[in-house]
Structures are given as structure tokens and as C-alpha cells.
């Protein structure tokens, strides 16, 4: 039943799958971190890439085969945040929260990791099916920057893989991690941002109400409660579009 729901929602994003159980992998990340280059490495396609930000404005999709299974891969627009202030942010956010990719690979730039972690934490608030891909390690090495990926994975509570997408480095390891996550072999425990006690108490109350909705299993209730507190109107538009129109799921 849930697979059928997500099949319909994914179609709404023009993601065409051969069957409802074909895994969907999203590539998210700040602009210019090498998502499209990674996409090309994974799929063997030649999507145009360039070194200016904000280029990918539509969702590009492709496929790759690994160990006998086909994976659909979706290149999301580059964004610094998912607060849905721009159309790029809205598309990336709606895809992650409504189409529920089987894995979201967050591509981060090894040369300026800190700036990229804001988006990683925002995505970890929505989903625990995350792999962080620290790309541009060749560029980082050139600048004598070394990333302790083991410590980063422990801090974030999700797998971290190093890559230099332009040279095809790290691609096989990423594919194998994706397979393991899709098959449920990787248990993650994402770092959750905790707010002050009053806010947490309020979040608990809102979450309890959300959990009573028939559609609540399609979304992370804590994340939705945060959006409610934020006064984020755009989330209701998404719920109408992807739950009610696609699956007839009522939410009140
Ligand atoms: N040195 C090096 N350059 C890379 C690597 N990956 C990507 N690049 C370069 O970084 C630039 C940006 O890459 P894109 O793949 O277009 O980045 P993007 O994340 O898709 O960018 P947006 O779509 O604008 O968000 C291009 O010039 C790539 O060739 C890498 O691993 N090492
Ligand atoms: Mg791109």
C-alpha cells in the first residue's frame, strides 16, 4: 500500500519507474558540490556540468545497474537550505519529504565542509536514509585539507564516503553503500537537533496530533511539527498535492 502511494507521488515528479519497488536515490547538496558530475559517474550519462552555481533547476533522472538491480537516480537542484524560500528549495524539499527517496545522498564539498553541514542537518531532520558523500577530496588534498570521515560519520550517525566524482573515485563504494541501505543492512541514528525544553514540549504535543492522521506514516512527524511551528504555509500545499490528490489520503 505504501509502495503504491510513493509510486504515484514519484510519478507526479515525472519519475518513471519500471516497477513500484525500483529503488529511488536522490542526490542533494549545496550548489556546485559536484552532484551532476557524480550523477554522470554513476549513470554514465553526460549531463552538462559547469562551475557556476544554481544551474540545475529541474530534476534530472537516470539509472544505473549494480549487483543485478536497477536504481533510479535523481539529481536535485543545488540548495543551501530546505526552508522552501526559492523554487529550487521547494522542489528539493518536496521531493525528499513527499517522494521519500529510498536513499538521499547528500553531496558535500570537502574544501568547505562546515558551510555544507547546515543542509546535511536539515535533511537528517526529514529522513534517516542518508549517506553523506564528501566530494572534491582531490581539490581538498591540493589545499592540504583532510576530512576525518570516520569521526564525521560518528557525529552525524549516518555513513560517510569520500569521493572525487570527476575522476570516478569513491563511486563503487557509494554504490555498494546505497545497495546496503536499500536492503536495510545499514542502521542509522541521525543526529537530531534538540531545541529548548518549552519548544520540545510543544513539538511533542503537535507530533501526537499528527500521528493520529491517516497520512502520518508518509512523513516524519517531528519534522512536520517543526514546519507547523515555523508557520510554513508551503507544506500544506505539498500535503494537498501529494497526499490528497494522488492517494486520497485525508489528513484531518
Ligand atoms: N576537482 C574536482 N572537481 C569536481 C569534482 N566534482 C565536480 N567537480 C567540478 O565542480 C564543478 C561543479 O560540478 P557540478 O557537477 O556541475 O556541480 P553541481 O553540484 O551539480 O552544481 P549545481 O547543479 O549548480 O548545484 C564542475 O566544474 C565539475 O567539473 C571532483 O571530485 N573534483
Ligand atoms: Mg548540477
Amino acid at each position: 500500500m505504501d509502495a503504491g502511494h510513493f509510486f504515484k507521488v514519484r510519478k507526479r515528479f515525472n519519475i518513471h519507474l519500471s516497477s513500484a519497488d525500483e529503488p529511488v536515490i536522490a542526490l542533494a547538496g549545496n550548489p556546485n558540490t559536484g552532484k551532476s558530475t557524480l550523477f554522470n559517474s554513476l549513470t554514465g550519462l553526460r549531463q552538462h556540468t559547469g562551475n557556476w552555481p544554481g544551474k540545475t533547476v529541474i530534476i534530472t533522472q537516470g539509472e544505473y545497474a549494480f549487483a543485478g538491480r536497477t536504481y533510479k537516480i535523481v539529481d536535485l537542484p543545488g540548495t543551501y537550505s530546505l526552508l522552501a524560500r526559492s523554487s529550487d528549495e521547494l522542489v528539493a524539499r518536496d521531493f525528499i519529504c513527499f517522494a521519500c527517496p529510498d536513499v538521499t545522498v547528500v553531496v558535500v564539498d570537502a574544501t568547505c565542509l562546515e558551510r555544507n553541514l547546515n543542509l546535511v542537518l536539515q535533511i537528517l531532520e526529514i529522513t534517516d536514509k542518508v549517506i553523506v558523500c564528501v566530494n572534491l577530496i582531490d581539490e581538498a588534498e591540493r589545499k592540504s585539507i583532510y576530512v576525518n570521515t570516520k569521526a564525521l560519520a560518528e557525529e552525524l550517525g549516518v555513513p560517510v564516503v569520500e569521493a572525487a566524482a570527476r575522476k570516478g573515485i569513491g563511486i563503487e563504494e557509494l554504490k555498494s553503500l546505497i545497495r546496503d541501505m536499500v536492503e536495510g543492512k545499514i542502521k542509522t541514528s541521525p543526529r537530531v537537533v534538540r531545541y529548548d525544553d518549552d519548544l520540545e514540549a510543544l513539538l511533542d504535543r503537535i507530533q501526537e496530533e499528527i500521528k493520529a492522521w491517516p497520512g502520518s506514516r508518509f512523513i516524519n512527524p517531528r519534522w512536520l511539527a517543526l514546519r507547523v511551528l515555523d508557520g510554513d504555509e508551503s507544506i500544506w500545499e505539498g500535503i494537498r498535492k501529494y497526499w490528497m490528490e494522488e492517494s486520497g489520503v485525508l489528513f484531518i
Side-chain angles (χ1 to χ4, degrees):
M1 148 80 192
D2 285 7
H5 166 80
F6 290 123
F7 187 65
K8 286 187 205 157
V9 173
R10 289 164 177 186
K11 215 163 156 185
R12 181 84 189 234
F13 284 92
N14 282 325
I15 305 301
H16 300 290
L17 302 169
S18 50
S19 69
D21 63 1
E22 182 178 349
V24 172
I25 316 303
L27 293 182
N30 287 9
N32 228 25
T33 51
K35 295 176 296 302
S36 300
T37 308
L38 187 66
F39 176 93
N40 289 342
S41 288
L42 287 165
T43 59
L45 293 177
R46 284 286 153 260
Q47 194 198 340
H48 183 68
T49 62
N51 60 355
W52 61 93
K55 217 171 11 58
T56 310
V57 285
I58 49 158
I59 289 181
T60 310
Q61 58 187 303
E63 277 174 355
Y64 69 88
F66 184 74
R69 195 167 187 187
T70 303
Y71 296 78
K72 176 70 77 180
I73 182 130
V74 176
D75 187 14
L76 295 174
T79 59
Y80 292 104
S81 105
L82 288 184
L83 296 177
R85 294 205 188 91
S86 70
S87 55
D88 282 358
E89 290 182 359
L90 192 65
V91 167
R93 184 203 68 183
D94 277 2
F95 192 79
I96 296 170
C97 90
F98 293 111
C100 283
D102 296 276
V103 177
T104 299
V105 176
V106 191
V107 185
V108 297
D109 182 342
T111 68
C112 51
L113 195 58
E114 196 177 342
R115 188 176 70 188
N116 287 236
L117 290 179
N118 179 35
L119 182 71
V120 176
L121 291 175
Q122 285 187 18
I123 292 175
L124 289 178
E125 275 188 327
I126 307 181
T127 169
D128 57 359
K129 293 180 200 149
V130 170
I131 295 172
V132 173
C133 176
V134 180
N135 192 33
L136 292 128
I137 50 156
D138 53 337
E139 194 62 24
E141 257 169 46
R142 220 172 50 77
K143 295 181 176 166
S144 302
I145 297 168
Y146 296 91
V147 178
N148 185 343
T149 48
K150 191 165 172 282
L152 187 61
E154 275 164 18
E155 279 292 320
L156 296 174
V158 296
V160 175
V161 60
E162 282 188 4
R166 207 156 67 177
K167 295 178 178 163
I169 294 170
I171 305 301
E172 288 308 300
E173 194 188 338
L174 177 60
K175 283 182 177 174
S176 132
L177 272 175
I178 290 172
R179 188 236 355 241
D180 291 350
M181 190 167 275
V182 165
E183 291 178 358
K185 290 180 187 150
I186 298 179
K187 275 269 151 281
T188 61
S189 48
R191 165 179 282 258
V192 176
V193 178
R194 291 272 154 210
Y195 301 95
D196 68 42
D197 291 352
D198 289 349
L199 205 55
E200 286 294 338
L202 207 51
L203 279 172
D204 282 346
R205 267 175 45 205
I206 299 171
Q207 272 186 86
E208 284 316 306
E209 301 227 355
I210 291 171
K211 282 180 190 160
W213 303 350
S216 63
R217 70 181 184 284
F218 299 135
I219 206 156
N220 179 337
R222 179 178 169 88
W223 181 76
L224 184 55
L226 280 165
R227 298 287 69 75
V228 170
L229 277 181
D230 243 5
D232 180 349
E233 298 284 334
S234 66
I235 199 70
W236 303 114
E237 174 62 17
I239 284 177
R240 191 185 57 71
K241 215 154 100 185
Y242 303 113
W243 288 8
M244 298 180 73
E245 287 177 18
E246 289 310 317
S247 293
V249 177
L250 293 176
F251 62 94
I252 44 174

